[in-house]
Amino acid sequence: MIPEEISSWELFLVGIPIFSGLPKAELRKIAQKIQLLSLPKGATLFRQGDEPEDLFIIASGLVRVVHLRGSEEIVDAFLGRGETLGEGGVLTGERRTATVQLVSTCEFLKLSRGDFYEILNENPSISIHLTHVLTKRLIQTTRGVPKKTVEATQFFAFYCACETDERHLLSAHLGLQLLEQTRRRVLLIDMNPDAGAVARSLGLKSASVTRQLLLNINLRDPGRIRTLSQQHASGLEVLSIPAENLSGSLLTGIYLFVNFLRETHDLVLVALSGPMGAVEEKVLLEADKVILLGSASCLSSYQKLKEEFAPVVPEARLLKAWCGDNPPEDVLREGLGRDLVIPWTSAIKEKMNSGVGIYEALETSPKTRLAVERLARRLGRVRVGLACGSGAALGYSIIGVLKVFKREGIPIDLISGSSMGALIGGLSAIGMEPEEMEAIALRIDKFWMYSRLFLDLSIPHSGIFSGGSLLNLYRSLFGQKKFSDCEIPFACVATDIETGEEIVINEGNLAESVRASSSLPVIFEPCLMNGRYLVDGGLINPVPIRVVADQGADILVSINLTLPASSYTGGKKPVPEEPGLPGLPHIFGSPNLARVFFHMIYTAEYEIAKSRSGLSQIVIQPDLQGFSWSDLQRAREIIRAGEEAAEKHIPSIKALIPYFSDRCQVPLRLSSSWR
């Protein structure tokens, strides 16, 4: 290192706990032995079980510390600038106890074990100081005081292949919604060729950071860089800097710039457009997630960018989104629904051309605003997943829960369901309002259902009814919609009656899939799908919360309709015993075949649901005692039971969703409704 670098690292070492308090002369000796090491995002610094060759200090960037417990990888901490790694092993000679993985490109100050011991031998005071520091750390560990950790900052690249108006509005709104939905520190960096336009749309100054200013700044000086951004009234910070201003000699320092932003913000969103150059490629390499937004008017640019992204951005880090109608199939496959499709109407553009602000421009299109909100929750890792349980007529209570969610503004980002839960969940996923579902439910009674079912009688082989009438009912509700047509990603569960396997269905025709999920065995013939005979999903997973968790939900809410078989009495009292024959039930009061069959299913589903309830953060269990699975004529009462249960849980649900906190400086909710 040159003398200037040694001096700068001396100042840095003063703030490192294991070196703080040492005299300046001794810090200089340490700085002279240090080597600078840079490693790319995704690299591994060292692995659990490695020999302890070096001590490392994080000078820039973020790492993840993990250890193996059997075959499971446990995350211990995220550590950033100023944290030390491997000092214990260097001092004791013990093998590494954890693996360190790079979340971003990092700079480390490396001190070899040999140099470290040489410094200790020449400077006994350092050895004494380290003994005090490490002893104190050991005491904290034994007392259960956790090691300081840094929560992993998320760094997103929002690459737009769409019209200028669409790009400006969606970039600004996505930044605002990241702030509103997560209530965290958010920075929006406008790196578009017209950098400054997004700031203007938010009512801020349009000045962008010049190349000369960047050349004069020390990218390792957090205080100086912090002065470059502007702050919106909401708390959103905006930095305008054309990508070309970071090219040339500044290109190699981009990761230092990005790492500083990671240290000072929770979420960073970089807005990009145009051809992919060297600067854009560097940003994509550092991004934790890349959103490629296309539109029909810029289809060729979208297709070209997809090809250019292939060697740079792994599929796991790429989200393909679409602005407008008729998205390509590869966009729909991302979420098995349309949650990555942002509706766009000519009315929005007309509003913007008339000179109104970006808030007013979306007043005519609430679905556009809703789509941006969902994308923000997806990126911010605050998606709400709802699992709708099985229960035939008892499933009407789910409608009551949805009514309360809508009234209270509780968002739903992912839905799963079994049996009747699959029907209600599927209807919600395609955009049907709970009031519409309620109106349908109130038209259906036992006579309505039985009159159709008895026309559906089959020669008993694998079921009393063929299920054709049930399928026709579902087709009248879903039409020919597929899972990819859902506004909210949806999956339903069925059971392979031959193997007993749980089958998660998330593609294909919705009506046929829901029919398979609600085919109660013996009552309905199994549904043949993809070579499997499928029956009611409630038999194996009556409350499929694991399904929405696997889809990517962060906040897990389930609606459990199962109760012990004794609770499903339909309000009937037990038949008294026959006088003179103790213990023998009255012959006419003994359970008939249907009652025995249904109670067997009730018991199995109750026990399964009880064993799997631990995954949900919130379990809504309506009070359905006194109701029966066949009480179709009591829809109004059952829906009300669902409303009452949901109302009790609203405070607990809101406590899990950052949107309902008061951290945002200025509320941005406009007149936002649930749908």
Side-chain angles (χ1 to χ4, degrees), residues 412-462:
I412 302 174
D413 300 295
L414 298 152
I415 304 179
S416 67
S418 284
S419 195
M420 186 64 155
L423 173 60
I424 304 297
L427 292 175
S428 182
I430 64 172
M432 184 178 287
E433 300 287 357
E435 292 81 8
E436 295 177 74
M437 299 182 211
E438 182 178 31
I440 294 170
L442 293 175
R443 291 199 302 267
I444 297 175
D445 56 20
K446 285 185 177 180
F447 174 78
W448 187 96
M449 182 62 74
Y450 292 164
S451 64
R452 283 155 177 77
L453 287 179
F454 282 117
L455 293 175
D456 201 27
L457 282 168
S458 66
I459 299 174
H461 172 61
S462 55

Side-chain angles (χ1 to χ4, degrees), residues 179-180 183 234 654 657-667 669:
L179 175 71
E180 184 174 6
R183 292 299 195 264
S234 64
K654 286 185 175 180
I657 303 174
Y659 174 87
F660 294 99
S661 76
D662 296 323
R663 182 170 169 183
C664 194
Q665 295 178 27
V666 175
R669 297 177 192 173

Side-chain angles (χ1 to χ4, degrees), residues 555-634:
I555 299 166
L556 304 175
V557 181
S558 60
I559 306 174
N560 184 4
L561 310 180
T562 67
L563 287 171
S566 59
S567 300
Y568 297 102
T569 63
K572 297 177 183 178
K573 296 181 179 179
V575 177
E577 294 179 349
E578 180 71 24
L581 295 173
L584 182 65
H586 190 281
I587 187 65
F588 295 109
S590 63
N592 58 34
L593 182 61
R595 189 175 174 191
V596 169
F597 172 73
F598 282 112
H599 277 219
M600 176 184 68
I601 293 178
Y602 299 155
T603 301
E605 292 195 357
Y606 171 71
E607 294 299 330
I608 293 171
K610 186 170 67 172
S611 68
R612 298 184 181 182
S613 62
L615 185 61
S616 300
Q617 287 141 301
I618 301 290
V619 179
I620 300 173
Q621 187 148 19
D623 182 2
L624 298 170
Q625 296 193 57
F627 294 105
S628 168
W629 277 20
S630 61
D631 282 341
L632 298 167
Q633 77 284 0
R634 302 177 69 183

Side-chain angles (χ1 to χ4, degrees), residues 93-115:
E94 296 292 329
R95 291 180 180 272
R96 305 292 193 191
T97 59
T99 297
V100 176
Q101 304 163 342
L102 276 65
V103 176
S104 67
T105 297
C106 292
E107 267 190 348
F108 300 96
L109 302 184
K110 184 176 76 169
L111 188 61
S112 71
R113 188 178 181 187
D115 286 340

Side-chain angles (χ1 to χ4, degrees), residues 303-374:
Q303 298 288 7
K304 183 179 180 182
L305 285 170
K306 269 203 314 179
E307 294 174 5
E308 293 176 345
F309 280 18
V312 178
V313 184
E315 275 293 319
R317 289 200 285 119
L318 180 62
L319 285 178
K320 294 185 283 291
W322 192 257
C323 180
D325 299 322
N326 303 316
E329 281 297 320
D330 62 340
V331 173
L332 293 180
R333 276 199 296 270
E334 293 286 354
L336 301 173
R338 304 181 72 88
D339 68 324
L340 285 170
V341 177
I342 301 175
W344 188 267
T345 65
S346 58
I348 300 175
K349 189 169 185 177
E350 289 170 7
K351 279 269 190 179
M352 293 186 71
N353 290 339
S354 68
V356 302
I358 62 169
Y359 303 105
E360 294 82 0
L362 285 191
E363 285 180 353
T364 58
S365 183
K367 284 188 176 291
T368 302
R369 184 179 64 242
L370 179 64
V372 178
E373 290 173 1
R374 285 184 177 144

Side-chain angles (χ1 to χ4, degrees), residues 142 152 241 249 361 399 452 458 609 674:
T142 56
I241 172 171
S249 60
I399 299 174
R452 283 155 177 77
S458 66
W674 182 65

